[in-house]
Amino acid sequence: MSKYQHIKQAAYEANMQLPKLGLVLFTFGNVSAADRDLGVFAIKPSGVPYEDLSPEKMVIVDFEGVTIEGDLRPSSDTQTHAVLYKHWPNIGGIVHTHSTYGTAWAQSQRCIPIFGTTHADHLTADIPCAPPMDDKMIEGDYEYQTGFQIMDHFAAEGLDYNEVEMVLVGNHAPFTWGKTPHKAVYNSAVLEAVAQMAYLTEQINDQAPRLKDSLIKKHFERKHGPNSYYGQ
């Protein structure tokens, strides 16, 4: 048995959640699962339908983006995953989808405003939207540069990837991450739900105000603060 079997299994299980949650169509999207001690991650192979996936088909890649094990080509987004794993050491799983509402906000080049408490339960800021890459980056190693576009936007906006575990890439689509692949998938589903709620909010009231700070603080801290009391 491969010494990478545990992350192949984790990546497989996480990838299979994407169609179940309605986050992907056809072969869109991918999840990766990292092992920091081994310096590698397992990722979905490119262009393989979800119903044809298995743990054995997951591809093992190092944090430089080099394939270590696997007979299939890794996801076309592999270099983005590799860059984020290399530079953001607390990430254990990454998800990329083209989910409908999240992608619509990305195509609009807009952050998702924090309108309500569902959003505030998960983060205290708008969901950021990194600007589209400039032509030089696009014409170079596009997927590799996408990772830097995300990181550069977080640096420019003073955002902490440990606190904001999701981003839209302008004109592209969402990326999410977490300490585990399961958490990264959870964050992807949350992003899509919040994106839909924000869209509908603006349809009902195009002057809807941002959630007030006291409610943001209350809802975030009751789940994540030192005196949290939500859940078991």
Side-chain angles (χ1 to χ4, degrees):
M1 181 180 292
S2 168
K3 66 179 179 180
Y4 307 119
Q5 189 63 30
H6 61 298
I7 52 172
K8 287 185 173 184
Q9 184 68 36
Y12 167 72
E13 291 176 2
N15 272 286
M16 296 306 290
Q17 286 297 306
L18 298 187
K20 290 180 181 179
L21 292 167
L23 297 173
V24 295
L25 288 173
F26 306 117
T27 62
F28 299 2
N30 46 76
V31 185
S32 62
D35 184 315
R36 289 281 170 186
D37 292 334
L38 295 175
V40 298
F41 60 95
I43 193 167
K44 177 181 175 286
S46 180
V48 177
Y50 285 87
E51 61 268 24
D52 294 337
L53 291 178
S54 67
E56 290 68 35
K57 290 181 180 177
M58 298 297 112
V59 184
I60 302 299
V61 182
D62 69 17
F63 295 162
E64 300 298 329
V66 177
T67 297
I68 301 300
E69 181 180 291
D71 298 326
L72 301 173
R73 284 191 299 112
S75 165
S76 57
D77 297 297
T78 294
Q79 294 299 326
T80 306
H81 290 241
V83 167
L84 295 179
Y85 282 129
K86 181 177 180 179
H87 294 276
W88 284 352
N90 295 331
I91 293 177
I94 298 172
V95 177
H96 174 51
T97 76
H98 286 246
S99 59
T100 302
Y101 286 89
T103 301
W105 284 91
Q107 290 177 172
S108 301
Q109 299 184 36
R110 286 188 60 193
C111 301
I112 301 176
I114 183 166
F115 284 133
T117 59
T118 308
H119 188 144
D121 281 339
H122 297 90
L123 66 162
T124 60
D126 295 349
I127 297 173
C129 182
M133 288 185 284
D134 63 32
D135 290 347
K136 184 176 181 181
M137 294 174 74
I138 293 169
E139 291 164 4
D141 191 338
Y142 174 67
E143 290 80 13
Y144 179 77
Q145 294 295 344
T146 298
F148 286 97
Q149 187 73 356
I150 292 169
M151 293 191 302
D152 289 348
H153 185 66
F154 268 59
E157 296 297 318
L159 298 172
D160 183 345
Y161 77 91
N162 294 293
E163 296 177 359
V164 180
E165 296 180 322
M166 54 189 73
V167 70
L168 309 175
V169 176
N171 292 142
H172 189 176
F175 285 83
T176 64
W177 50 86
K179 291 186 181 299
T180 66
H182 174 78
K183 182 64 188 306
V185 171
Y186 174 87
N187 286 337
S188 187
V190 167
L191 184 153
E192 179 64 5
V194 169
Q196 182 176 11
M197 292 175 194
Y199 168 77
L200 293 172
T201 298
E202 291 197 346
Q203 299 309 299
I204 296 166
N205 178 6
D206 62 7
Q207 299 299 315
R210 188 176 188 271
L211 187 64
K212 61 184 183 178
D213 290 343
S214 59
L215 277 172
I216 293 173
K217 185 173 187 291
K218 169 59 74 175
H219 273 263
F220 187 79
E221 291 188 353
R222 72 176 190 158
K223 290 189 75 170
H224 308 286
N227 298 312
S228 60
Y229 57 89
Y230 180 91
Q232 301 304 311

